[in-house]
Amino acid sequence: MPRKIATSIAAIAAAGLLLSGCTSSTPETSGESDGGSTSASSNATFTYAIGGDPMSMNPINLSDRWGLTFANIVYLPLARVEADGTVVNELAEKIEPAEDGLSVTVTLKDDLKWSDGEPITAEDVVFTYTNKAVRENGNADLLYVGDEPITAAATDDHTVVFTLPSLSAAAISNIATETYIIPKHIYGDVTDFSVTQLDPAAIGSGPYKLDEYKPGEYLKFSANENYYGDAPNIPNLILQILTDADTVKTALQTDQVSASFVTSAQVAEFEGTNVTTYPYSEGRVAYLGVQAGKPALADPKVRQALFFALDRGAISDAAFLSTDYYEEAYSILPPSNPWATEDVEKYEQDVAKSKQLLEEANAADLKLTLGYIGTDPAQVAEATQVQEQFAEVGVDLTLSGVDGSALYAELEKGADSKFDLFLGGYIMGLEPDAYSALFRTGASANYFGYSNPEVDALFDAGVAELDDAKRGDIYDELQAKIQDDAVFFPIADNKKIIAMSNSFTGIDEARLVPIYSLENFGKLAVK
């Protein structure tokens, strides 16, 4: 199939060189300007409602949406990859892969400073990557090629050389982007980076600095005067924690918050109000996951029977309203990903086949428990549909809605988890090797308990192949094998929808992006 993205070392080098529930306490906020000014000298505040506390605020190991949203406000990576694959440098001035593909040299911009005024140096970069590559700290997978870590060394105050143990087509993406750099002079004495909170309070390089955090209530930020880019137009930013979708809707309609995610079912309620909605794709996959280590689910026939019982279109319509807000997904990669294929077992609903497979597996009267985030309206709708559809083939499904932290804490227990199945979603970007963190044996985000040596070998082969056509064939086979194993039922690439008060402008400049919602809140302005 045609590929829309080049991953050869030469092509990536060229890109790098060309681009040098409701809270009981609410902080003081203002959705109005002080006379219409859009300058950073105004006292305006932008309040963004988020659905829960960050699961981690440690840039070394965070991976949840709200933790990453926090980090993207306070910290910066060396570079970032936009949704179209464009590489945009942040702390990096240049990113230069070696001709042999076994090293990458990163040169930092001049005169970079931390929010406390100290200089940002190559030693900070080495310190960050060295600790992030420690598997015990969590979230280290993408800094490994096979079983060997990518290493970093400073050659001077502005230059870092990353050395790869072997060829990796994914190296640029995995090395230079989306790892948030932290200051060595602040955290140099920390001995355990597996924790979810770093002490002292965050010192970063992003457009804002953290002033106050009240768990369950809010995070307050103010403009970072040492940020290398343009000063934020709105100097005060609040992430207000609101866990209930109806509460969020009311807060938007009454100007208590400036913006938030909303559901597709709520869009019509904002028509004709002072709130505008902006749907956009995140390249996300919403899915039903199986705990493959559970004895009741060890037989692939049982798992396949469960998948044939499902109608993904009905599930998606219930959760996301209409195809205006979703596209059906059939593999581990979202349909918009240039490496995605539909040449896989799609598990189109077939009730008769489902019943037959259950009978062949002697799995009559199957009783299972489904875990999901109970405060997420989409997952509530998905869970209800799955329960009803399983009932058609005689499977008794108990629904267990919990908060996000509790869900993933339980899933980390693997076969000992109280959940047999779970609902989830992920955004992993364009690079197909990134998905190894979910499906490689023993990977940090492999909540399925999934292990297939053939899939592991395909991940190894794919990341080491520099020819796009050959690489595409590898990932086509990999996607097909995972779907055949039936531990993962892809549902849809659902759009996110941000609703924002018309008192503010600049959403195009701030850029709607996956995970973080807005790439740079500092580009927003008061009308």
Side-chain angles (χ1 to χ4, degrees), residues 243-493:
T243 60
D244 180 74
D246 288 333
T247 302
V248 169
K249 181 188 70 175
T250 301
L252 281 164
Q253 291 172 331
T254 57
D255 260 353
Q256 294 178 61
V257 300
S258 313
S260 180
F261 285 136
V262 296
T263 68
S264 51
Q266 294 174 326
V267 169
E269 300 182 56
F270 293 108
E271 293 179 1
T273 71
N274 191 45
V275 175
T276 300
T277 56
Y278 303 87
Y280 69 103
S281 174
E282 293 190 296
R284 180 179 188 265
V285 178
Y287 67 89
L288 171 72
V290 176
Q291 285 273 14
K294 293 280 190 175
L297 298 169
D299 187 341
K301 280 189 176 180
V302 174
R303 304 194 298 264
Q304 292 164 358
L306 294 176
F307 288 4
F308 277 118
L310 297 175
D311 180 345
R312 64 165 50 82
I315 295 171
S316 298
D317 284 342
F320 312 120
L321 197 63
S322 79
T323 52
D324 290 339
Y325 301 111
Y326 76 85
E327 183 176 356
E328 290 186 359
Y330 301 107
S331 89
I332 65 170
L333 302 180
S336 60
N337 190 292
W339 301 98
T341 179
E342 291 190 14
D343 189 15
V344 298
E345 175 56 73
K346 294 182 179 180
Y347 296 102
E348 303 285 6
Q349 188 182 43
D350 188 332
V351 171
K353 188 169 185 177
S354 176
K355 290 180 177 179
Q356 178 187 342
L357 287 168
L358 288 171
E359 183 178 346
E360 291 175 4
N362 295 315
D365 302 320
L366 198 60
K367 297 182 186 300
L368 302 171
T369 299
L370 174 68
Y372 61 97
I373 299 175
T375 56
D376 183 333
Q379 288 200 7
V380 172
E382 289 170 339
T384 302
Q385 282 291 315
V386 171
Q387 184 183 50
E388 293 175 358
Q389 292 169 20
F390 277 1
E392 291 183 44
V393 298
V395 175
D396 183 356
L397 185 67
T398 299
L399 303 184
S400 180
V402 297
D403 66 39
S405 298
L407 175 64
Y408 285 95
E410 191 65 29
L411 294 178
E412 286 175 355
K413 298 177 184 177
D416 294 327
S417 166
K418 65 183 180 181
F419 301 133
D420 303 294
L421 309 164
F422 59 98
L423 293 172
Y426 56 70
I427 303 165
M428 303 298 289
L430 298 179
E431 170 51 52
D433 185 60
Y435 295 75
S436 65
L438 296 157
F439 297 101
R440 185 187 288 276
T441 300
S444 61
N446 184 347
Y447 297 109
F448 315 95
Y450 178 58
S451 178
N452 183 333
E454 291 183 72
V455 168
D456 295 344
L458 287 167
F459 273 122
D460 290 340
V463 78
E465 179 56 66
L466 301 184
D467 181 274
D468 279 350
K470 293 178 181 178
R471 201 172 185 225
D473 291 340
I474 291 169
Y475 287 116
D476 286 352
E477 183 181 356
L478 184 151
Q479 291 169 75
K481 282 189 179 296
I482 292 176
Q483 293 314 119
D484 287 344
D485 287 337
V487 296
F488 171 84
F489 182 83
I491 299 172
D493 174 3

Side-chain angles (χ1 to χ4, degrees), residues 33-49:
S33 70
D34 55 350
S37 170
T38 61
S39 71
S41 61
S42 73
N43 292 318
T45 296
F46 189 86
T47 302
Y48 183 69

